[in-house]
Amino acid sequence: MKTTVKTMMISALMAVGVGCTNTQQQGVSTSAEGDFEYNNERFADLQMLRYRVDGFEQLTLKQKTFIYYLQEAALYGRDILFDQNGEYNLRIRKMLEDVYTNYKGDRDDENFKAMEVYLKRVWFSNGIHHHYGCEKFVPEFTKEWLQEQAILLDGIDKNEWKEDFDILLDIIFNPTVLQKRVNLAEGEDLVKTSASFYYDGVTQEEAEAFYAKQKATSDTLHPVMFGMNSRLVKTKNGDFIEKKWTTNGLYGAALKKVVENLKLARPYAEDEQQQKVIDLLISYYETGDLKTFDQYSIAWVENTEPLVDFVNGFIECYGDPLGLKCSWESIVNFKDMEATKRTETLSKNAQWFEDHSPVAPEFKKEKVKGITAKVIKAAILGGDLYPSTAIGINLPNSDWVRAEHGSKSVTIGNLTDAYNQAAKGNGMLQEFAYGQEEIDLVEKYGDLTDDLHTDLHECLGHGSGKLLEGVDGDSLKAYGSTIEEARADLFALYYLADPKLVELGLVPNKEAYKASYIAQMQNGLLTQLVRINLGNNIEEAHMRNRALIARWAYEHGKAEKVMELVKRDGKTFVKINDYEKLRGLFGELLAEIQRVKSTGDFKGAQQLVETYGVKIDPALHKEVLERYKKLNIAPYKGFINPVYKAVRDTKGNITDVTIDYTEGYAEQMLRYSKDYSVLPLTNE
Ligand code: ZN
């Protein structure tokens, strides 16, 4: 729940000129970038980017080999996520890929082109629903055309989807079927109305009762994360069973390949502790035992020394409307030594930040424990981190593991850098900034404060505060994720303006933070709306959080005109009049949000989120969409992975690992589907 899928609108808004003061960032000098092209192809509402993995060539052969096998393990989990995201996703993907690769007609045909875009979106979302908004894609090719294509494929291909073809057609073309991947609409049966495949034949009430019962019998001090690695199924005779995701259970074929590559990677691990981490992970994949998963998490969080590290597993629970079941993901990475200095400075001072926060004393941690902070470079992205990804990660998710053993917190420097580089000059800042003063501030300090915001959010924000004794970590239910993200963001916003950051040498002066306040308010009130279709509410937790913060601050600062929404030529702008007072408001809200979290105040969370985080003023929404449309920017971005190749001698030993950035998007997706698809198309 703690992964920051931070909006890329912030980065886009922060597009700055070369005059940025952030010299310690990412260690990529302008000259070294040469003619590397960050922007790649564009379709629908998506822009594909590439990222650089500078420093890979300088790693030792042992480290490169370690990364090589880990990235293989990362790629083998892809199909798991497709299935988690929806029962028919693998079949639909295979059918469309068969049509796409065997098509003999005119590739400029309208229907073919529309199908190509649809397929590219399916690849991007790991399923037929939008990766962010969760709504089902609307095909712009006809049902008849697809039927004709399928007939042409008779006998040419092993089209295992054939017997379900009519069902698949209905799912693609009937707008009333499986409308949303995750439905969070108040008052509906969230489990029944969500298309994600975490439950089968189960109602929300039944699922909640099933897990409430498990919880009631559990170790209250060290509870495992019930339900996180299984599908809950109601059998024909009305029993409930958990189908566990293990090497011998559901998704076994894929998990066996993951384990096989983890075993190959193991001898090249950076230290003994890391070998133990791998052993525990393998054991967990083999048994599905959640206590083993906690042991693995502890071993992983305590393994702070290695340069190369990785996440591989069932991690994030955004795909389950009840927030229990975790989607599969993987990232392999190595430490960016230069940029890590910045976050280490924050980490070293963690207690100071905790002690000085505006939160009530009873909700503070007496001792902030084990926060490790580093900037990493992603080497490969897999599962729920691919192609759309996070730019910061804070794990593990288990509350008690975090409380007793701390958490690992990373910002992914080479991805942030790719976003920033790709967004330069896209016109967003000029369109939405109130005036030249705001543009100058953002251009001058935007990259720096954006990075610091992420660092503060991940390194300190999520790790701060505590639950009162006896409070269940899940008591905020569907509002939990939004409140948690708001808590971390507010912690960051509050401290960005603190003189302590100047004292620590993290910002050059007392004015730099203003860039982040401009970004926060513009994004929360205006620019993030470009990612939502007119008429829809805000659904996604991180977006709800940003709206909540911005609108709450706007409403509560109205009387004193802390900020205004100014109209000019029919366009709305955010004008911040008093940055100091705005900081005060952020502090006030942080204290309230922490109280809600610490006391498990469900009503309080509901009131905050529903009042400020969900609804959109339709007139303003329309205006923002129109202004944005004129800029012609894709609202969502994702990454094409580099390609790693193992160079082997005659005995099969790896003598080098090469990295290549030239593979195209469709090419990559088709290769993954060919080389890394080991699951059956139907997983029951
Ligand atoms: Zn977060």
Side-chain angles (χ1 to χ4, degrees):
M1 219 179 298
K2 275 81 182 184
T3 296
T4 302
V5 187
K6 197 172 172 188
T7 176
M8 298 325 151
M9 286 315 306
I10 292 191
S11 301
L13 188 65
M14 293 298 196
V16 300
V18 194
C20 147
T21 53
N22 185 9
T23 49
Q24 53 181 342
Q25 188 194 24
Q26 283 86 41
V28 180
S29 76
T30 316
S31 59
E33 279 168 29
D35 47 10
F36 188 88
E37 193 49 70
Y38 289 92
N39 283 299
N40 196 265
E41 72 173 282
R42 187 180 162 176
F43 50 90
D45 54 357
L46 304 168
Q47 170 75 52
M48 298 310 303
L49 307 176
R50 293 187 192 281
Y51 60 101
R52 297 167 62 102
V53 193
D54 289 318
F56 178 78
E57 267 109 356
Q58 285 73 48
L59 298 175
T60 65
L61 177 60
K62 188 179 171 221
Q63 289 168 329
K64 286 185 194 173
T65 309
F66 189 44
I67 289 177
Y68 176 77
Y69 287 120
L70 290 175
Q71 62 92 36
E72 289 289 297
L75 296 177
Y76 271 112
R78 176 172 176 251
D79 283 2
I80 296 175
L81 180 69
F82 267 85
D83 197 70
Q84 289 180 317
N85 281 346
E87 187 175 355
Y88 302 95
N89 283 336
L90 286 170
R91 275 168 276 182
I92 289 173
R93 188 188 81 196
K94 182 69 167 67
M95 172 191 40
L96 295 174
E97 285 175 351
D98 283 350
V99 170
Y100 183 74
T101 52
N102 291 295
Y103 185 72
K104 300 275 184 318
D106 177 8
R107 293 207 161 225
D108 285 327
D109 177 83
E110 292 299 318
N111 275 306
F112 178 80
K113 284 203 301 200
M115 189 279 293
E116 184 177 28
V117 169
Y118 185 91
L119 174 57
K120 284 180 175 177
R121 300 181 80 183
V122 168
W123 282 330
F124 191 96
S125 289
N126 298 284
I128 58 169
H129 298 88
H130 196 277
H131 72 288
Y132 210 81
C134 293
E135 73 279 4
K136 194 168 73 170
F137 297 135
V138 179
E140 291 181 16
F141 52 100
T142 67
K143 196 171 173 178
E144 292 69 32
W145 181 85
L146 187 58
Q147 274 168 322
E148 279 167 33
Q149 300 310 314
I151 291 166
L152 290 175
L153 288 176
D154 273 342
I156 326 179
D157 212 69
K158 290 184 287 168
N159 30 22
E160 310 108 284
W161 42 267
K162 202 81 200 210
E163 59 184 88
D164 304 320
F165 187 58
D166 289 337
I167 303 173
L168 303 185
L169 278 184
D170 192 46
I171 288 164
I172 294 174
F173 290 98
N174 184 345
T176 64
V177 176
L178 301 176
Q179 285 171 300
K180 298 212 81 175
R181 180 168 57 85
V182 190
N183 181 25
L184 295 175
E186 226 188 354
E188 293 177 23
D189 184 320
L190 304 185
V191 169
K192 279 276 174 204
T193 56
S194 293
S196 54
F197 200 22
Y198 292 113
Y199 304 89
D200 195 359
V202 181
T203 66
Q204 180 177 353
E205 207 177 306
E206 288 165 342
E208 280 171 352
F210 182 88
Y211 287 110
K213 210 165 151 190
Q214 284 198 352
K215 266 190 195 171
T217 60
S218 80
D219 172 354
T220 47
L221 282 180
H222 301 122
V224 296
M225 291 166 68
F226 288 110
M228 65 164 279
N229 66 338
S230 65
R231 184 189 296 154
L232 182 63
V233 180
K234 189 174 185 178
T235 64
K236 284 198 180 87
N237 20 354
D239 301 329
F240 296 95
I241 51 161
E242 281 187 310
K243 287 193 177 167
K244 292 248 182 184
W245 306 323
T246 64
T247 50
N248 292 310
L250 203 52
Y251 306 144
L255 292 172
K256 274 183 186 145
K257 293 302 286 186
V258 171
V259 165
E260 184 186 309
N261 281 286
L262 288 173
K263 284 182 177 163
L264 288 166
R266 189 186 183 279
Y268 304 96
E270 302 256 71
D271 54 28
E272 272 179 38
Q273 171 75 6
Q274 197 166 37
Q275 292 189 328
K276 189 182 152 195
V277 170
I278 293 174
D279 292 341
L280 284 164
L281 180 57
I282 290 172
S283 166
Y284 158 67
Y285 274 142
E286 286 172 346
T287 61
D289 186 277
L290 292 177
K291 283 215 161 77
T292 309
F293 179 72
D294 283 347
Q295 286 166 0
Y296 152 77
S297 297
I298 293 164
W300 178 80
V301 84
E302 288 175 350
N303 188 214
T304 54
E305 290 304 314
L307 191 81
V308 180
D309 199 359
F310 69 100
V311 172
N312 183 306
F314 303 104
I315 306 292
E316 297 295 343
C317 52
Y318 299 108
D320 171 10
L322 303 185
L324 299 170
K325 315 237 159 245
C326 297
S327 62
W328 193 91
E329 70 180 34
S330 182
I331 179 172
V332 182
N333 59 76
F334 57 93
K335 208 184 275 191
D336 180 336
M337 300 306 285
E338 192 56 31
T340 294
K341 281 182 203 151
R342 187 180 71 220
T343 57
E344 276 175 0
T345 305
L346 288 178
S347 258
K348 267 186 220 147
N349 292 279
Q351 195 64 51
W352 185 92
F353 285 99
E354 185 75 357
D355 294 345
H356 290 78
S357 94
V359 159
E362 63 268 34
F363 307 140
K364 287 185 187 182
K365 279 202 180 104
E366 294 78 21
K367 272 217 151 58
V368 187
K369 259 195 196 171
I371 295 166
T372 67
K374 57 181 185 175
V375 178
I376 58 170
K377 293 185 188 199
I380 201 88
L381 305 166
D384 219 357
L385 289 169
Y386 168 82
S388 174
T389 198
I391 55 172
I393 295 178
N394 185 309
L395 291 171
N397 282 333
S398 163
D399 280 324
W400 75 262
V401 175
R402 296 166 68 82
E404 291 182 20
H405 302 274
S407 57
K408 264 190 207 174
S409 193
V410 298
T411 47
I412 311 171
N414 60 335
L415 299 185
T416 313
D417 190 50
Y419 284 123
N420 289 342
Q421 297 298 333
K424 290 203 165 140
N426 68 9
M428 192 76 185
L429 179 61
Q430 284 68 21
E431 174 62 35
F432 286 96
Y434 173 72
Q436 195 56 42
E437 195 186 321
E438 283 76 11
I439 293 175
D440 291 345
L441 276 166
V442 172
E443 289 196 333
K444 205 163 173 192
Y445 304 115
D447 274 3
L448 173 68
T449 54
D450 198 18
D451 280 346
L452 271 172
H453 183 282
T454 309
D455 295 341
L456 284 160
H457 175 114
E458 298 292 345
C459 307
L460 304 179
H462 280 307
S464 74
K466 66 172 182 192
L467 298 182
L468 289 189
E469 228 174 278
V471 171
D472 179 355
D474 293 333
S475 30
L476 305 182
K477 302 208 168 88
Y479 301 109
S481 296
T482 301
I483 292 294
E484 177 56 24
E485 292 312 319
R487 203 173 70 85
D489 262 357
L490 285 162
F491 197 94
L493 288 165
Y494 179 78
Y495 276 119
L496 272 162
D498 202 287
K500 185 76 177 176
L501 292 201
V502 185
E503 186 194 305
L504 292 172
L506 293 169
V507 290
N509 54 49
K510 282 194 257 180
E511 178 182 66
Y513 79 91
K514 291 179 181 171
S516 68
Y517 281 24
I518 294 167
Q520 164 63 36
M521 296 311 295
Q522 276 178 207
N523 197 26
L525 293 170
L526 305 173
T527 47
Q528 75 165 352
L529 301 181
V530 305
R531 323 178 90 204
I532 299 172
N533 291 330
L534 200 60
N536 290 357
N537 285 333
I538 306 174
E539 302 273 358
E540 198 276 335
H542 295 81
M543 288 181 77
R544 283 186 166 186
N545 134 48
R546 282 186 292 268
L548 191 171
I549 293 173
R551 288 190 203 156
W552 188 96
Y554 173 70
E555 293 296 335
H556 287 74
K558 232 176 187 171
E560 291 192 81
K561 284 209 166 183
V562 175
M563 78 205 88
E564 296 166 75
L565 283 174
V566 179
K567 278 264 186 194
R568 207 165 55 205
D569 307 325
K571 293 177 175 181
T572 310
F573 297 89
V574 182
K575 179 167 182 269
I576 301 173
N577 294 319
D578 192 329
Y579 287 87
E580 265 303 307
K581 279 196 179 140
L582 180 53
R583 185 191 184 209
L585 290 169
F586 288 151
E588 233 177 88
L589 183 56
L590 173 59
E592 170 60 7
I593 293 254
Q594 183 64 55
R595 184 199 63 74
V596 165
K597 167 111 184 173
S598 291
T599 58
D601 178 4
F602 175 81
K603 281 252 142 51
Q606 183 179 41
Q607 192 264 335
L608 277 172
V609 177
E610 294 291 342
T611 312
Y612 301 103
V614 179
K615 300 269 180 328
I616 309 171
D617 168 11
L620 182 63
H621 194 183
K622 189 160 171 278
E623 176 209 312
V624 168
L625 287 176
E626 276 165 11
R627 290 164 70 184
Y628 181 70
K629 201 168 168 223
K630 287 197 185 126
L631 298 174
N632 199 27
I633 305 166
Y636 303 97
K637 291 162 183 76
F639 289 98
I640 301 172
N641 277 322
V643 183
Y644 296 88
K645 283 211 175 87
V647 182
R648 293 175 194 267
D649 63 17
T650 47
K651 288 177 197 144
N653 300 314
I654 293 180
T655 55
D656 195 12
V657 178
T658 61
I659 181 167
D660 179 85
Y661 300 102
T662 55
E663 191 169 42
Y665 175 64
E667 204 186 336
Q668 179 154 94
M669 288 297 183
L670 288 169
R671 182 170 65 86
Y672 286 176
S673 294
K674 185 169 145 285
D675 294 349
Y676 299 96
S677 278
V678 286
L679 285 187
L681 297 185
T682 307
N683 291 277
E684 280 169 350

